[in-house]
Amino acid sequence: MARELPYIVAINEAIEFEMARDERVLYFGQNIATPSALEPFMDAFGGDRVRLTPISETAEIGMAVGAALAGLRPVVELYMSEFLLVAMDQVVNEAPRFHAMSGGQVKVPLVLKAGYGFTAGWAGQHTGSIYGMFMGVPGLKIALPSTAADAKGLMATSIRDDNPVCFFYHILLTLEHGEVPEGEYLVPFGVADVRRTGGDVTIVATGWMVDRALAAAERLAADGVEVEVIDPRTLAPLDTATILESVAKTGHLVLVDQATRHGGASAIIAAEVADQGFDSLRGPIKQITALDATIPYSEPMERFVIPDEDKIVAGVHEVLGSAPVAAKA
Amino acid sequence: MSSDQEAHGLDKDRLSWMFKQMVRIREFEERVKNTFEEHPGAIRGHTHLADGAEASIVGSLATLRGGDQVLATYRCHGYPLALGSDANAMMAEIYGKKTGICGGYGGSMHLVDVDRGFLGTSGIVGAGIPHATGAAWAAQIRKQGQVVLCFFGDGASKQGAFAESLNIASLWKLPIVFVMENNSYNVVTRVEQEDANAAAGEPLAIKAKAFSMPGVTIDGGDPIEVHGVVGAAVERARSGEGPTLVESKVYRLSAHGNIIAPPGIPLHYPEHEAIAVFGAPEEYEAALRGDPVPRFRARLIGEGTISAEEADEIAATVRQEMQAAVDFAWESQLPDAAEALNHVYA
Amino acid sequence: MTGKDAEAKARPGVALDAQAALALLATMWRIRVFEERVGVLKRADEVYGLMHLSVGQEGVAAAICSQLDVADSVYSGHRAHGHAIAKGAPLNRIMAELMGRSDGLCRGFGGSMHLVDVEHGLMGATGVVGGNIPLALGSALATRLRGGKEVAVVFFGDGAVQAGHFNESINLASLWGLPVILVCENNGFAEFTPRSAHTNVERVSDVVAPYGLMRETVDGNDVAAVWEAFGRFLELARRGEGPLLLECLTYRLRGHYEGDPTQYREALAATEWQQRDPITRLARHGTAAGWFDAEDLERAEREARTEVEAAVGFARLSPYPDVELLEELVYAGRRKP
């Protein structure tokens, strides 16, 4: 049975389900949003497995690595993805390295749960969509849910995965409702979701941008342009096969990402398609991303930097060489 | 045998065992060092030796019981040897062979032997401290009386990871003992050049005060003293009273590591920093005179615990063991290149 | 190092007098009224993003910044409005920044958590807990290298003390003897959770004890005490001595951010602290000392209200920044002629 739940509740439901199912799962971090949000977990699973930490990111993530080496499955609440940067060594050069360096003797199953993309006046240090930089870290998996159901299913899969997983949840989506299956629900890693089918152009969108892309597709449909919208759902592993298949059908690719243009998911997907699907392309790949700038505080500048529906519609028209509706009229 | 030793359960067999482990570590490290001449090119990258720290390592590890766990640094050859890991597989790992303890994926800095409680090491200064703290949290949750020993150097105590971890360990009363091997050198920097406490002439164990944790400084060259103090800290941790910081003063008898050079330039161990950098050969010579291995041998013989013949016999057995390890490593096959991607994901 | 400690305490500071006290009162009122007004503006959605207010902590900002020169550097964190006001940043431009306008201190780019006013020595405010501490060490090092008399002051909360970079900074500052004054506003809460959930060590001055720096813990709501202690520290730092740590025990009268439901706060404690309000206390103290009368007090509050209201008016009229500003701000050296 599915019911309507907010995205954030869906994530919590997965953590709760997995904690009840597997006593090796731990949940800890600073505040865990607020102590009142932590209380149900405390009540259900006790202070051994649910703990509040000081503001000590290196120790929090490092301890998760150690607890994982010792056989547990920690979920660390990072609250803001930028706090991963405070402990970059642990995220990039510790957690994903031990399995490989030990020749497979040990594994480091842990989940780094981090909010991102808070483009609502949070200015330069709390708004980053920084997941792309982790795509270059072998051994680290990246989940990026855009719906409440995926949020639940990907969190459950993250916890069951034997590797370190960065689970990036979009802060602007936290209160968005969606249908969420009850009980055990897993969304596999490396399987993209084709959210809308269409034969004219392929849009690959991530996170918060998926809904913007779907809205843009709706508008484009009114102009007679049929857009296929793909949400990769996990960036590592990345389901390039589904993307290549779609591009083989449409011949056009537009990438929509809230992150920077350089060094991000969009650039990596563009490179994969150029490398493996060049023959399918009937025109240049278009990237609709945030501008390469620190996210400004002031609202008009903030809006200017990040992608939106209008920019997506314009981008699709550009790759198709078709004029926007206004110009036609 | 003194009453002090008996009090810590150190009977003749145990003391003899401790001596043997110290000799094994020394011989292993000597063979690693010698490899650069014996088998030039066989060892790639960076190695870090534990000679000088044998008493501290063995005295500490001798306090553990089955199920306890150990995490250490990239200077990691000594611990698994004392924990019972196969010297052949360890040497083969350092040679980058398929038969290595990590299949050639880790090398000298990243030895792991989970079955013996050696959970792993980080090549990044201080990074292993939170790992050990996390393992101690896991032990606390399991409630099986496990204790974690966390080894790191004096340099690591200037890392944020040190402070964050010790604060949490103290706050949560985790079953862990932090053993800081203070060898007075952070690569080529002397500790008083980079540590405010050392510069003020204070022991580094004083840092424990900031975390409301007991801190004690010991002579890491005396395995009995190490055993007594670390043993008490282990018991404290096991009984749920929380962590202790033990500053174990050791002197590393080799340079920080072999030289770092591009491929093609033969690697070797340079002179110790005391001589090469600080022009203080008298300091180094004094350290050699205090070498813990002959010191412990003399003590055991002097106290009648073992005879000189028994000591020599131990040394001869160990020499054979390590010769076999080198032969095994040298003769083993390199891994297949395509195996490189075997362990990207678990 | 207790010797150094004793030395700092024995040295008399400049006692608070009528003129200085009245100036402090005025500054505290400007901060109080400003913060209360921002709370109202936040509910009306006129300011954007997250607002961390310092109502109840005004005494620390006022007593410290008012003794500094313009050339002294101040580093703040996410709760920066009070420090900015006390350091002399114009209310108009702070308010404009909070409304994201082009006349804002940072031209609308930084917002509440990233106030910078180089002209008035407010060198930076970071939104990552404790991230400002090493920066202040850098300022102090620069002063030493230049042979100047300027000091660097960094404000942070007790939550920052558990972050690794705090310990890294303390070791270095102590080892190099940097003329930096670390001001910990210990409000007993790290964001939403009490200090006891973060560490066994109640006093921040005890955390730094092993590093032997000069340190003192004062009642941060007693403005005269903060003034006096900081005055002594400042004199030492001016002579190139340091580092020094001043722990000010204080209390936020509002939540961690505006809109924070503050369920974690014990209502009783809040009532008690309301009585310890630094403004009320200084008013009482100064009245008893004959420094000011009811009319002075009333004027300080009235003038603050007028000024803050003017700042709101100014900010509302200021245009939003042109998006071209963005290109100019990605890299330095691209400012248009």
Side-chain angles (χ1 to χ4, degrees):
Chain A
M1 267 279 291
R3 61 265 111 93
E4 291 269 321
L5 280 185
Y7 177 91
I8 192 74
V9 175
I11 296 172
N12 286 342
E13 197 172 87
I15 298 172
E16 201 178 337
F17 187 91
E18 294 303 313
M19 289 188 82
R21 175 184 164 271
D22 181 350
E23 64 172 23
R24 296 171 302 171
V25 181
L26 314 177
Y27 186 30
F28 67 108
Q30 298 163 27
N31 302 307
I32 315 209
T34 63
S36 56
L38 177 62
E39 269 162 28
F41 288 96
M42 281 278 200
D43 291 347
F45 306 109
D48 269 354
R49 294 171 59 199
V50 182
R51 275 193 203 177
L52 192 74
T53 64
I55 303 169
S56 305
E57 286 83 4
T58 296
E60 292 163 43
I61 300 174
M63 285 177 67
V65 175
L69 289 171
L72 301 182
R73 293 180 167 267
V75 178
V76 190
E77 173 64 63
L78 268 307
Y79 207 30
M80 290 278 174
S81 61
E82 276 86 350
F83 302 161
L84 291 168
L85 304 180
V86 181
M88 201 64 165
D89 172 56
Q90 294 294 342
V91 179
V92 172
N93 209 22
E94 306 290 339
R97 304 289 190 222
F98 271 67
H99 174 69
M101 292 192 313
S102 71
Q105 286 185 80
V106 296
K107 53 189 189 186
V108 184
L110 60 86
V111 182
L112 304 175
K113 171 174 177 257
Y116 77 97
F118 208 170
T119 42
W122 279 67
Q125 291 185 313
H126 297 81
T127 47
S129 301
I130 59 169
Y131 36 82
M133 66 172 76
F134 299 103
M135 292 176 79
V137 183
L140 195 59
K141 296 190 177 180
I142 306 165
L144 202 69
S146 68
T147 68
D150 284 352
K152 177 174 176 175
L154 289 174
M155 175 51 87
T157 306
S158 299
I159 294 172
R160 291 192 198 184
D161 198 280
D162 277 342
N163 297 279
V165 179
C166 284
F167 180 94
F168 289 100
Y169 65 99
H170 202 295
I171 296 180
L172 296 179
L173 287 175
T174 48
L175 301 178
E176 295 287 320
H177 283 62
E179 289 232 318
V180 180
E182 278 187 74
E184 181 172 71
Y185 180 61
L186 296 159
V187 169
F189 278 10
V191 180
D193 189 14
V194 181
R195 293 287 300 275
R196 181 189 176 106
T197 51
D200 295 333
V201 60
T202 301
I203 291 182
V204 177
T206 57
W208 192 50
M209 285 301 141
V210 176
D211 280 347
R212 302 325 94 190
L214 289 168
E218 200 64 38
R219 266 169 63 184
L220 287 158
D223 294 344
V225 178
E226 287 308 323
V227 182
E228 184 143 301
V229 178
I230 298 175
D231 172 6
R233 301 198 288 191
T234 57
L235 294 176
L238 180 66
D239 182 3
T240 29
T242 297
I243 297 168
L244 288 168
E245 215 171 281
S246 177
V247 174
K249 177 173 74 177
T250 63
H252 294 286
L253 178 62
V254 175
L255 297 153
V256 187
D257 191 22
Q258 196 181 343
T260 51
R261 184 178 176 85
H262 288 180
S266 153
I268 290 167
I269 295 169
E272 288 293 355
V273 173
D275 184 338
Q276 301 180 54
F278 190 75
D279 293 344
S280 305
L281 288 167
R282 279 182 269 141
I285 297 167
K286 181 74 189 165
Q287 297 187 69
I288 312 283
T289 64
L291 305 181
D292 286 337
T294 293
I295 303 289
Y297 169 69
S298 183
E299 196 169 5
M301 286 198 294
E302 185 190 86
R303 263 203 315 270
F304 180 77
V305 171
I306 58 175
D308 60 23
E309 212 178 295
D310 289 343
K311 292 177 192 171
I312 300 169
V313 170
V316 169
H317 280 304
E318 192 187 321
V319 300
L320 295 177
S322 56
V325 184
K328 274 186 193 165
Chain B
M1 202 182 310
S2 69
S3 58
D4 176 42
Q5 292 163 20
E6 282 167 1
H8 291 114
L10 295 179
D11 59 16
K12 177 187 181 318
D13 286 351
R14 193 63 173 157
L15 289 166
S16 171
W17 177 85
M18 283 168 71
F19 175 64
K20 183 175 181 183
Q21 301 317 308
M22 286 170 62
V23 175
R24 287 179 77 228
I25 296 172
R26 174 62 57 89
E27 182 67 15
F28 187 90
E29 299 296 47
E30 290 292 332
R31 294 309 301 254
V32 171
K33 202 178 199 174
N34 192 42
T35 302
F36 295 110
E37 280 152 34
E38 192 180 352
H39 295 136
I43 297 184
R44 304 168 69 246
H46 216 190
T47 62
H48 308 81
L49 306 183
D51 46 345
E54 294 91 345
S56 180
I57 293 169
V58 173
S60 299
L61 296 182
T63 66
L64 298 183
R65 68 184 196 204
D68 290 341
Q69 292 171 328
V70 178
L71 288 99
T73 72
Y74 48 80
R75 193 178 301 285
C76 63
H77 306 165
Y79 315 95
L81 277 175
L83 289 168
S85 298
D86 177 15
N88 287 2
M90 286 179 56
M91 192 64 85
E93 184 62 32
I94 295 169
Y95 274 65
K97 298 299 176 73
K98 194 182 172 78
T99 52
I101 199 162
C102 302
Y105 288 87
S108 165
M109 289 192 277
H110 305 295
L111 301 179
V112 177
D113 192 348
V114 179
D115 293 343
R116 287 173 182 78
F118 194 62
L119 294 191
T121 68
S122 175
I124 305 298
V125 170
I129 304 175
H131 302 163
T133 309
W137 183 20
Q140 186 182 56
I141 292 168
R142 287 203 184 95
K143 296 181 179 62
Q144 290 166 358
Q146 291 166 290
V147 169
V148 174
L149 275 193
C150 171
F151 293 91
F152 52 95
D154 49 293
S157 65
K158 265 65 68 186
Q159 278 281 309
F162 165 83
E164 294 184 357
S165 303
L166 268 70
N167 177 60
I168 293 177
S170 171
L171 182 67
W172 294 359
K173 288 195 183 326
L174 295 179
I176 183 167
V177 179
F178 297 101
V179 183
M180 179 206 293
E181 294 169 345
N182 179 359
N183 63 24
S184 300
Y185 286 88
N186 154 359
V187 192
V188 293
T189 304
R190 282 194 57 92
V191 64
E192 57 276 11
Q193 293 177 289
E194 51 104 41
D195 186 292
N197 296 125
E202 295 159 348
L204 304 199
I206 198 174
K207 294 180 197 297
K209 273 169 77 175
F211 316 107
S212 194
M213 183 191 296
V216 52
T217 300
I218 56 170
D219 173 8
D222 177 354
I224 311 280
E225 182 181 345
V226 173
H227 185 270
V229 172
V230 173
V234 165
E235 283 323 303
R236 182 173 186 273
R238 214 184 289 290
S239 64
E241 288 171 63
T244 304
L245 173 64
V246 178
E247 178 195 9
S248 177
K249 299 203 64 155
V250 298
Y251 199 98
R252 97 171 126 62
L253 295 171
S254 293
H256 168 71
N258 54 272
I259 61 159
I260 301 171
I265 295 176
L267 302 180
H268 67 276
Y269 262 79
E271 263 191 315
H272 190 274
E273 292 78 5
I275 303 166
V277 183
F278 294 93
E282 63 288 352
E283 174 194 302
Y284 185 70
E285 283 153 18
L288 278 183
R289 284 193 298 276
D291 183 340
V293 179
R295 189 175 146 197
F296 192 45
R297 181 182 191 274
R299 175 171 174 175
L300 291 181
I301 294 169
E303 290 175 357
T305 312
I306 57 172
S307 66
E309 292 71 33
E310 282 173 308
D312 290 344
E313 202 175 306
I314 286 172
T317 314
V318 167
R319 261 196 304 279
Q320 278 176 8
E321 182 193 3
M322 298 312 165
Q323 180 61 50
V326 171
D327 293 342
F328 176 80
W330 179 241
E331 285 155 16
S332 287
Q333 297 296 306
L334 288 165
D336 295 335
E339 288 175 29
L341 299 181
N342 278 4
H343 302 293
V344 173
Y345 290 124
Chain C
M1 296 281 179
T2 43
K4 259 203 238 172
D5 228 10
E7 189 198 350
K9 277 183 182 147
R11 195 175 295 280
V14 182
L16 200 54
D17 60 16
Q19 196 191 347
L22 198 56
L24 286 181
L25 199 69
T27 302
M28 287 161 68
W29 268 117
R30 292 166 85 222
I31 299 171
R32 173 71 53 92
V33 174
F34 185 91
E35 298 287 52
E36 304 268 1
R37 192 69 179 90
V38 170
V40 172
L41 290 168
K42 176 68 194 164
R43 287 190 286 282
D45 262 349
E46 280 198 69
V47 291
Y48 197 40
L50 206 64
M51 293 293 146
H52 301 86
L53 304 185
S54 62
V55 176
Q57 302 185 186
E58 301 90 344
V60 178
I64 287 173
C65 293
S66 62
Q67 299 189 64
L68 296 174
D69 296 336
V70 170
D72 294 324
S73 298
V74 162
Y75 289 87
S76 182
H78 55 274
R79 199 178 307 286
H81 306 168
H83 306 138
I85 294 170
K87 191 70 178 39
L91 291 193
N92 287 356
R93 298 197 57 203
I94 305 174
M95 191 60 91
E97 185 64 30
L98 266 48
M99 291 194 189
R101 308 303 172 103
S102 60
D103 292 304
L105 282 180
C106 308
R107 301 197 276 173
F109 211 97
S112 168
M113 283 190 279
H114 308 295
L115 296 179
V116 177
D117 186 358
V118 174
E119 195 185 329
H120 293 92
L122 178 67
M123 298 310 293
T126 65
V128 177
V129 171
N132 52 357
I133 300 172
L135 274 58
L137 264 59
S139 264
L141 181 63
T143 299
R144 161 167 305 165
L145 295 175
R146 290 198 197 104
K149 293 266 178 233
E150 301 85 17
V151 304
V153 175
V154 55
F155 291 96
F156 52 93
D158 49 299
V161 174
Q162 283 68 249
H165 34 285
F166 175 79
N167 275 266
E168 295 183 2
S169 302
I170 293 293
N171 177 65
L172 259 186
S174 179
L175 184 72
W176 295 355
L178 296 175
V180 60
I181 306 179
L182 303 138
V183 179
C184 179
E185 293 171 301
N186 185 348
N187 64 22
F189 274 84
E191 297 184 353
F192 312 92
T193 47
R195 181 154 178 80
S196 57
H198 289 241
T199 174
N200 283 335
V201 187
E202 191 188 338
R203 289 286 160 83
V204 172
S205 56
D206 289 337
V207 176
V208 301
Y211 294 95
L213 55 160
M214 288 167 276
R215 62 204 158 92
E216 197 167 325
T217 300
V218 295
D219 177 350
N221 286 37
D222 179 348
V223 186
V226 179
W227 168 279
E228 197 269 333
F230 186 76
R232 277 188 277 113
F233 275 25
L234 184 60
E235 198 204 324
L236 291 167
R238 285 255 186 266
R239 288 194 278 138
E241 290 186 36
L244 305 104
L245 180 129
L246 184 64
E247 177 181 25
C248 301
L249 302 176
T250 180
Y251 195 75
R252 285 195 315 253
L253 292 179
R254 302 182 86 95
H256 170 53
Y257 61 87
E258 269 318 276
D260 175 8
T262 69
Q263 289 163 335
Y264 48 88
R265 198 50 84 60
E266 287 177 38
L268 185 71
T271 315
E272 187 189 312
W273 273 83
Q274 205 97 41
Q275 288 161 1
R276 305 192 62 185
D277 177 346
I279 297 184
T280 316
R281 282 177 68 179
L282 181 62
R284 253 197 327 258
H285 181 76
T287 307
W291 290 343
F292 28 73
D293 55 25
E295 199 186 315
D296 294 324
L297 297 175
E298 192 269 334
R299 192 184 326 111
E301 181 179 350
R302 189 181 62 234
E303 285 178 2
R305 292 200 184 284
T306 308
E307 211 183 329
V308 169
E309 229 27 67
V312 173
F314 171 86
R316 281 177 176 156
L317 291 178
S318 175
Y320 282 105
D322 193 302
V323 290
E324 284 170 18
L325 176 61
L326 258 171
E327 199 179 342
E328 192 184 319
L329 292 181
V330 172
Y331 293 115
R334 285 174 70 171
R335 184 180 276 269
K336 286 180 186 146

